[in-house]
Amino acid sequence: MPDFRSKNFRIIAGLVGLLLVIGLFLALRDGSRLITGDQLDLLAQKKLITRIVREDPYLYVRTSKMLYRVPVSAVDLKKVGREYPIEIHKKWDMLNLGLILLLLLLVGLAVVIYYLSRRDRLETARRVETAEGEREIPVRESITPTRSRVRFDDVAGSEEVKRDLREIIDFLKKPARYKKFDIRLPKGVLLAGPPGVGKTLMAKAVAGEAGVPFFYQSGANIVEIYVGMGPRRVHELFQAAKKAAPAIIFIDEIDAVGRHRGSLRNEEREATLNQLLTEMDGFESDSGVIVMAATNRIEMLDQALLRPGRFDRRVHLSLPDMEDRRKILELYLRRKPHELDLEELARSTVGFSAAALSTLVNEAALHALRRGGKQIEEEDFEAVRETVISGKRKILSFSEEERRIQAVYQSGKALVATWLDVPYDRIGIVTTRMREAEREINSRSDLLARIKVLLAGSAATQAVFGEQYSNAAEDRAAAIAEARRLIHDYGMGEHLLARDDEVESLLTEQYREVETMLLKLRQAREAIEAWLLEHENIREEEARRILRDLF
Ligand code: ADP
């Protein structure tokens, strides 16, 4: 079957069409020669005429060799009529019959071409992405959207994220309503989070819920496959989406395009990034196009992308906590024979992303099948666990002991943060997300409180196990950096002219204060630790409730 999408096919179809038209034109062309009334008389005298047809405004005169035409006005019709019978054709009989035929043919041709291209488009649209579907979308010459059939129900867990995205869906469904109230929605939504947590799936679900076309592009493809064409590709992408609006553009791995323009200069990428920025600035927020993008390295992104009017809505997806893992496992085991304790299974899969869980379930099912079991058992999971872990680099895979260490460490942080009002979204065994400082002006006590939170984990493990662990490395480095900024950049140290040992003494002092705090609030920390062991992460309001219940 020919590839109707290919450029070659279109060129050939175009040429064939043109040739047909030219051929028809030649065939139906008026091939007669114009003569005068006198010349007609001459032909009559020589008895060369075989037939005369009147078709205003001409008389067509046929001889055995030629066809002539002579204007009716130049002929004495009576005289000619006496010698030859004049057949009278209505004007459109012959010539126009030809024209009508030509038109019909052209219309037919157009219909065939339209049908072919439409069928092709339908075929593309039929290639829907389902929840379990492949993420690879074949690279094509033309930019065609897919129709997503993914729904929020296909995305297990991530309830907060779904809540955040509902407004976008509503906007895509009823753009006119938002326009009426002159509400501006974000043009860009950035989905940030580690690989395999469902960023792509979530974007597809938004398209599926809103019922709008989904334009997928991967940043890596744009710069690697379309070398030299990146900017054009981006332009075409936006053009196509605007035409199909309301629609969603999804750019996977946007960091491939939008990495900050640091030392490694790459003209191609920069040109592509600039084009992306231009396109995003160039369309109105009521155009009905929402650009979604995914990255697992938000800190690597060029700041320009994060400015207002671009990706100003950011949604974080983290590795699933225990509750979400249970839901994901439930989803994947839905149609598989088993009587597993999902709670237990969720507990033993700390650090697994949804993608990793999907692989794990699949491998376990295969294992069960191979050993000839009736259903999937715990032992199947145990048997394949290691292979899955070693296959996926990112899995943390904590042992029970490590889980406990993390719980103690994070409970210290959560307690101090809650006590000192340092805002956070969630603090947990696998992922912790402190909120960015929201204010432009921070007080010295705010900054010190943040430093205390960063030191609280170490202080907690020291208090409970009498030991320090390597999981503290990142926080410790952040605490040092923060203390340096406080003293050197903000000049908030003891002395106006910062001295070298001030950072050290500030940190020591903060650490001591945290130790005292943990000692006094031991019960609260233990309660939070217990919560963490059960739920894996804790939100501000939950920690606050625990504290309120205790005091
Ligand atoms: P990302 O874009 O974050 O790398 P994907 O959306 O490509 O992740 O997800 C990878 C795989 O994991 C897909 O097969 C997807 O269906 C599955 N998946 C991810 N998150 C979920 C979820 N919350 N519920 C069910 N399946 C999920």
Side-chain angles (χ1 to χ4, degrees):
M1 187 147 121
D3 183 3
F4 298 125
R5 267 188 309 269
S6 81
K7 220 178 196 162
N8 284 348
F9 173 76
R10 271 193 228 134
I11 291 174
I12 290 171
L15 278 178
V16 169
L18 198 69
L19 277 177
L20 262 172
V21 172
I22 293 175
L24 267 168
F25 177 74
L26 283 177
L28 293 169
R29 195 176 59 130
D30 191 351
S32 58
R33 234 179 81 189
L34 188 65
I35 52 172
T36 63
D38 293 343
Q39 283 170 316
L40 176 68
D41 287 344
L42 212 64
L43 285 175
Q45 277 168 27
K46 288 187 181 166
K47 305 265 184 240
L48 286 173
I49 298 172
T50 55
R51 191 177 165 204
I52 294 183
V53 173
R54 175 173 172 180
E55 207 185 282
D56 285 335
Y58 293 109
L59 277 190
Y60 286 87
V61 180
R62 191 168 273 295
T63 66
S64 56
K65 288 196 191 102
M66 290 284 288
L67 178 67
Y68 299 98
R69 73 180 191 280
V70 48
V72 172
S73 55
V75 180
D76 180 352
L77 284 174
K78 276 191 200 129
K79 193 176 130 205
V80 179
R82 239 176 279 131
E83 282 176 57
Y84 296 96
I86 298 177
E87 302 167 33
I88 297 179
H89 283 238
K90 283 225 184 80
K91 191 169 186 280
W92 51 274
D93 269 12
M94 237 167 65
L95 199 73
N96 285 31
L97 205 68
L99 269 176
I100 286 167
L101 261 175
L102 178 76
L103 260 169
L104 275 178
L105 252 160
L106 276 177
V107 169
L109 200 72
V111 166
V112 168
I113 287 178
Y114 176 74
Y115 172 74
L116 287 182
S117 74
R118 191 178 151 75
R119 196 175 65 167
D120 159 50
R121 228 177 298 147
L122 283 179
E123 246 164 39
T124 324
R126 246 183 265 131
R127 218 170 301 160
V128 285
E129 316 298 328
T130 59
E132 287 94 12
E134 280 281 280
R135 53 174 311 175
E136 295 286 321
I137 291 180
V139 185
R140 289 189 205 107
E141 278 266 307
S142 61
I143 296 175
T144 33
T146 50
R147 281 265 162 206
S148 165
R149 258 192 233 150
V150 183
R151 289 308 172 90
F152 271 167
D153 280 347
D154 301 316
V155 188
S158 307
E159 299 304 330
E160 286 164 60
V161 176
K162 288 183 200 166
R163 207 175 327 127
D164 281 355
L165 293 173
R166 285 220 183 271
E167 189 187 38
I168 305 269
I169 293 170
D170 194 52
F171 165 72
L172 287 168
K173 273 185 173 163
K174 304 168 213 145
R177 248 185 47 191
Y178 284 76
K179 199 169 178 179
K180 192 169 154 213
F181 282 81
D182 194 26
I183 298 172
R184 272 191 297 140
L185 259 105
K187 294 177 182 175
V189 179
L190 189 65
L191 302 170
V197 295
K199 298 184 290 293
T200 311
L201 187 67
M202 196 60 94
K204 282 179 195 163
V206 171
E209 289 280 336
V212 301
F214 183 74
F215 289 86
Y216 176 99
Q217 280 291 313
S218 109
N221 271 5
I222 295 178
V223 289
E224 280 157 27
I225 298 191
Y226 301 101
V227 180
M229 300 192 337
R232 212 182 82 194
R233 190 77 185 161
V234 169
H235 178 67
E236 285 169 358
L237 177 64
F238 276 79
Q239 287 304 108
K242 272 188 257 182
K243 236 188 252 167
I248 286 183
I249 294 179
F250 177 67
I251 306 176
D252 203 2
E253 301 171 60
I254 192 171
D255 29 291
V257 178
R259 212 168 306 153
H260 55 71
R261 292 167 268 200
S263 49
L264 260 176
R265 293 182 76 82
N266 175 334
E267 273 175 36
E268 164 78 7
R269 207 179 59 215
E270 274 185 34
T272 309
L273 174 59
N274 285 335
Q275 184 66 37
L276 180 63
L277 296 175
T278 313
E279 295 290 345
M280 288 199 74
D281 291 342
F283 75 90
E284 295 302 315
S285 57
D286 61 9
S287 69
V289 176
I290 297 264
V291 189
M292 298 184 83
T295 177
N296 44 41
R297 282 171 290 183
I298 193 168
E299 70 288 346
M300 298 274 285
L301 284 190
D302 196 306
Q303 284 301 313
L305 273 171
L306 306 176
R307 291 221 187 94
R310 292 162 184 174
F311 289 100
D312 39 14
R313 179 80 57 97
R314 265 152 264 167
V315 176
H316 291 270
L317 281 97
S318 13
L319 285 174
D321 60 11
M322 197 147 103
E323 179 59 22
D324 277 0
R325 286 202 304 276
R326 195 187 53 70
K327 288 185 188 159
I328 294 166
L329 285 165
E330 200 176 300
L331 180 78
Y332 285 130
L333 283 163
R334 195 175 33 176
R335 285 192 281 270
K336 297 187 171 66
H338 76 91
E339 280 163 33
L340 297 154
D341 178 354
L342 295 186
E343 204 71 38
E344 188 47 46
L345 208 52
R347 180 181 293 279
S348 66
T349 44
V350 186
F352 279 67
S353 65
L357 287 173
S358 140
T359 316
L360 182 73
V361 169
N362 209 46
E363 290 293 320
L366 268 175
H367 190 267
L369 189 77
R370 263 190 247 117
R371 81 179 155 77
K374 281 206 183 63
Q375 55 181 17
I376 312 173
E377 305 284 354
E378 203 104 343
E379 52 165 292
D380 297 309
F381 277 89
E382 270 153 38
V384 299
R385 204 185 135 87
E386 286 309 311
T387 354
V388 174
I389 290 177
S390 55
K392 304 237 171 193
R393 273 169 294 130
K394 286 284 156 78
I395 295 181
L396 297 170
S397 142
F398 287 137
S399 66
E400 254 328 286
E401 190 199 347
E402 288 165 319
R403 232 172 88 90
R404 171 86 207 288
I405 294 171
Q406 266 296 69
V408 168
Y409 184 92
Q410 301 295 349
S411 66
K413 280 176 76 176
L415 172 70
V416 173
T418 317
W419 196 255
L420 298 179
D421 282 329
V422 176
Y424 60 93
D425 287 325
R426 51 166 73 175
I427 289 183
I429 291 183
V430 208
T431 34
T432 287
R433 214 167 53 242
M434 305 300 293
R435 235 173 285 151
E436 302 266 312
E438 274 158 12
R439 295 195 279 172
E440 290 292 324
I441 302 179
N442 287 295
S443 68
R444 184 169 188 269
S445 1
D446 285 345
L447 296 169
L448 289 179
R450 279 184 170 271
I451 293 176
K452 284 201 190 80
V453 173
L454 291 166
L455 296 171
S458 291
T461 57
Q462 188 66 43
V464 175
F465 306 111
E467 183 65 286
Q468 299 283 315
Y469 298 94
S470 54
N471 62 339
E474 207 174 304
D475 282 346
R476 215 171 293 160
I480 295 170
E482 195 83 11
R484 280 218 179 97
R485 245 195 315 270
L486 188 146
I487 289 180
H488 291 282
D489 296 355
Y490 308 144
M492 291 178 181
E494 300 271 317
H495 309 271
L496 223 42
L497 261 182
R499 291 209 324 234
D500 282 348
D501 58 349
E502 274 189 72
V503 175
E504 176 77 36
S505 57
L506 178 120
L507 285 168
T508 316
E509 193 186 319
Q510 297 312 307
Y511 189 80
R512 295 266 168 270
E513 282 183 33
V514 171
E515 277 185 323
T516 323
M517 212 155 134
L518 288 179
L519 208 60
K520 269 198 287 191
L521 301 172
R522 205 183 98 197
Q523 234 187 329
R525 195 205 55 72
E526 279 169 358
I528 295 178
E529 179 194 326
W531 174 284
L532 281 176
L533 280 172
E534 193 181 340
H535 302 280
E536 283 184 13
N537 59 46
I538 191 160
R539 279 195 303 256
E540 227 177 305
E541 68 248 32
E542 289 149 356
R544 221 166 275 290
R545 186 153 29 85
I546 291 177
L547 288 182
R548 223 181 302 124
D549 290 350
L550 279 173
F551 299 103

